Amino acid sequence: MGMTIGEKIIARAAGVSEVKAGDIHTVTLDRLMSNDGTTHLTIDMYNNQLKNPKIADKDKIVFIMDHNVPAENPKTAQAHKKMRDFAKENDIVLYEGKGVCHQIMVEDFVCPGELIFGADSHTCTYGALGAFGTGVGCTDLLYAMVTGNSWVLVPETIRFNLTGKLPEGVYPRDLILTIIGDIGANGANYKIMEFAGEGAHNLSINDRLVLCNLAVEAGAKTGIVEPDEKVVEYVEAHGRKAENLFVSDEDAVFEKVYNYDLSQIKPVVARPDFVDDVIPLEELEPVKIDQAFLGSCNNGRIDELRIAAKLLKGKKVCEDVRFIVAPASNAVYLQALEEGIIDILMEAGAMVMNANCSVCWGSCQGVIGENEVLISTGTRNFKGRAGHPSSKVYLGSAETVTRAAITGYIQA
C-alpha cells in the first residue's frame, strides 16, 4: 500500500519503511519552535518539575519573541527576560523583534520532509515547503526538548486536488477561507490537508504559506502542499538544501478527496464569530468598520503589502478608520522599504508597526473596543479575539481589507 506525503514524513522521522493512518510511532523531531506566548511556562516546568533537566539538542530549538513585542507591561517583560536568560544559559537561538515566528522559521530553518513541533497552532504553515509542522502544548514541547523525541498518531489525509489559476483580484486567502467554509471548522479534525495538482503548483511559495497556515482553522493536524521546483528554489535561495521532496504514491489512501477549480473561486469574507461562516463578498451587505489590519503569519508578506500599496497609492485611509499594517518579518519590512511601499502606506494614513503578531493576537497593538468592527487578514475571528467581547472581527484578503480601509466599509 502506498503512502501519502505526511505518512512518508512520519515514516522518515520514525525510522521505519512504512506507516499507515491510525498507527502510533515514536519519532525524532527535526526542529522545535517556541514563542513568547508560552515559553515562560515551559521554562518553569523545566526548572521546577524535572529532576535532572537537560536539553537533548540545543541546535534543534528556536525561541522567537513575536506575540507581545516590545513588551507592553511588566508581566510580559518578565516573561521575555525569562526567555532571554534561559536561551543564553542553554545556548539556544533566540529571535527578538525580528518578526512573526512562522515567517522566521520558513525564512531561516524549515526544509522539505522535516517533522517540526512548535508551541503554536499555526506551525502547520511549514507545509508550504513540504514539511510536517504541527502545534503542540507546553508539556509536549518540554518532553521533546529534553529527549529529542515524541510520539505521533498517524493522521488520515484529506487530499485537495487543485486545478487552474486564481482570477485577477482573487487570492489564496479567498481559496482557503472558501475551503474552510465548505468543509467546516471541524471538517479536517486531526487530519492532514494535502494540496496537490497543477493548480497547487501554479501557486507561489507565499500562496502556499497562506493555504497551510489556516489548515488548523479546519481542525487539521497540518497542511502540506506537494513540493516541487519552486520549493527547491526557495530553500536553496535561503542557503539550505532541499532534500526529501516527498509526494504521495499513486495508490496512497485518502480519507476524502475534494476537487477545486481555482478559476471559480471568488472574493469571500468570514463573518464574526466563526472562521467557517464564509460568504462571497458580493453577497455581503456593506459593513461599516472602525479598524482594518494587514499582517499576521497568514497574510503579512511582501505580496500582501504590494497589494495594499497599489490600492492606496494617491489615496487616503478613511478618516473614520484606523489602518494598522504589520509586516511579517524584518526581511519583509526591509523589502517593503526598498520598494517604496512603506512610504505609500504612511502617506495614505496607515500606521506601520514593527514586525510582530500585532492586531491578530489582540493583546498588544490595535486592540479594538466595545462594539467596534475590525476587518483583518489575521488568522481568527472568534469572540474577543482582537479586543472587547462585544467587538466583531471579519476576515478577508489583503485587497478586501485595504479597500475597506479606504472606503470605511467592507463591500464588493
Side-chain angles (χ1 to χ4, degrees):
M1 184 183 296
M3 290 190 290
T4 66
I5 299 171
E7 289 165 353
K8 289 183 179 181
I9 294 174
I10 293 173
R12 171 184 171 272
V16 298
S17 60
E18 182 179 80
V19 304
K20 64 180 184 301
D23 289 349
I24 296 177
H25 287 276
T26 298
V27 291
T28 299
L29 284 309
D30 291 289
R31 301 184 195 281
L32 299 167
M33 185 282 298
S34 190
N35 61 44
D36 57 321
T38 59
T39 304
H40 56 292
L41 303 177
T42 304
I43 293 171
D44 285 345
M45 288 190 290
Y46 181 92
N47 288 330
N48 302 324
Q49 297 183 23
L50 301 183
K51 289 184 178 180
N52 298 296
K54 184 179 180 181
I55 301 296
D57 188 344
K58 66 178 181 59
D59 294 328
K60 289 186 175 182
I61 305 171
V62 183
F63 282 180
I64 302 173
M65 295 185 196
D66 65 346
H67 275 52
N68 294 63
V69 177
E72 82 288 8
N73 60 44
K75 184 178 179 180
T76 297
Q78 182 59 30
H80 285 178
K81 184 178 186 304
K82 189 173 291 186
M83 281 184 73
R84 289 188 206 101
D85 292 346
F86 188 85
K88 188 173 183 179
E89 290 166 6
N90 293 279
D91 197 23
I92 293 171
V93 172
L94 172 70
Y95 286 73
E96 181 173 6
K98 301 293 179 64
V100 183
C101 59
H102 306 305
Q103 181 67 19
I104 288 173
M105 289 296 291
V106 168
E107 289 176 357
D108 292 353
F109 295 100
V110 178
C111 291
E114 291 187 333
L115 181 59
I116 304 170
F117 278 8
D120 187 280
S121 56
H122 293 101
T123 303
C124 51
T125 306
Y126 312 158
L129 297 182
F132 189 124
T134 194
V136 297
C138 297
T139 306
D140 285 327
L141 189 84
L142 176 63
Y143 183 85
M145 281 174 56
V146 299
T147 67
N149 303 317
S150 190
W151 64 272
V152 174
L153 171 65
V154 181
E156 294 180 297
T157 297
I158 300 175
R159 185 177 174 101
F160 294 83
N161 286 323
L162 308 182
T163 58
K165 295 182 178 181
L166 292 169
E168 186 74 22
V170 182
Y171 305 94
R173 173 89 167 172
D174 296 304
L175 170 60
I176 189 61
L177 287 176
T178 297
I179 290 173
I180 294 170
D182 289 346
I183 70 174
N186 295 310
N189 277 359
Y190 205 87
K191 305 292 196 303
I192 297 167
M193 294 176 71
E194 178 182 307
F195 303 95
E198 53 99 6
H201 296 299
N202 287 334
L203 299 173
S204 68
I205 296 301
N206 179 81
D207 296 342
R208 300 175 196 190
L209 290 166
V210 175
L211 291 189
C212 292
N213 175 268
L214 284 190
V216 71
E217 306 308 328
K221 187 69 171 173
T222 195
I224 304 175
V225 178
E226 187 176 73
D228 56 13
E229 282 304 309
K230 290 181 181 177
V231 170
V232 174
E233 291 172 7
Y234 181 92
V235 172
E236 292 184 349
H238 286 76
R240 306 191 295 275
K241 291 184 178 181
E243 302 171 332
N244 301 311
L245 297 163
F246 297 124
V247 298
S248 291
D249 296 324
E250 289 187 8
D251 58 343
V253 176
F254 298 100
E255 197 259 339
K256 290 181 182 176
V257 176
Y258 293 94
N259 297 303
Y260 279 85
D261 179 353
L262 302 192
S263 68
Q264 299 302 305
I265 302 298
K266 297 180 179 180
V268 297
V269 291
R271 296 179 291 197
D273 299 304
F274 304 96
V275 71
D276 57 356
D277 184 7
V278 177
I279 183 174
L281 184 61
E282 61 189 14
E283 296 179 16
L284 182 75
E285 290 294 322
V287 177
K288 189 177 188 306
I289 66 167
D290 299 286
Q291 184 169 296
F293 172 63
L294 176 63
S296 86
C297 56
N298 186 257
N299 238 214
R301 285 169 282 276
I302 194 66
D303 287 16
E304 289 79 40
L305 297 185
R306 286 170 178 159
I307 291 165
K310 181 178 180 181
L311 294 170
L312 275 172
K313 191 169 186 178
K315 297 186 176 69
K316 293 288 184 182
V317 172
C318 176
E319 62 180 11
D320 296 327
V321 173
R322 309 179 299 272
F323 187 24
I324 297 176
V325 179
S329 71
N330 284 356
V332 173
Y333 204 134
L334 288 169
Q335 187 172 353
L337 280 169
E338 291 175 4
E339 295 183 18
I341 290 172
I342 302 300
D343 290 9
I344 293 171
L345 296 178
M346 296 189 73
E347 287 168 4
M351 292 181 279
V352 181
M353 303 289 105
N354 57 298
N356 78 119
C357 294
S358 192
V359 178
C360 177
W361 173 235
S363 179
C364 65
Q365 292 178 345
V367 176
I368 53 178
E370 189 173 358
N371 296 316
E372 287 195 311
V373 176
L374 165 72
I375 177 70
S376 172
T377 64
T379 56
R380 291 178 173 147
N381 65 340
F382 51 72
K383 187 180 292 291
R385 170 66 175 183
H388 195 278
S390 67
S391 62
K392 300 294 182 183
V393 180
Y394 289 78
L395 302 179
S397 71
E399 178 164 330
T400 298
V401 166
T402 305
R403 290 190 184 281
I406 295 170
T407 65
Y409 289 86
I410 309 169
Q411 59 189 357

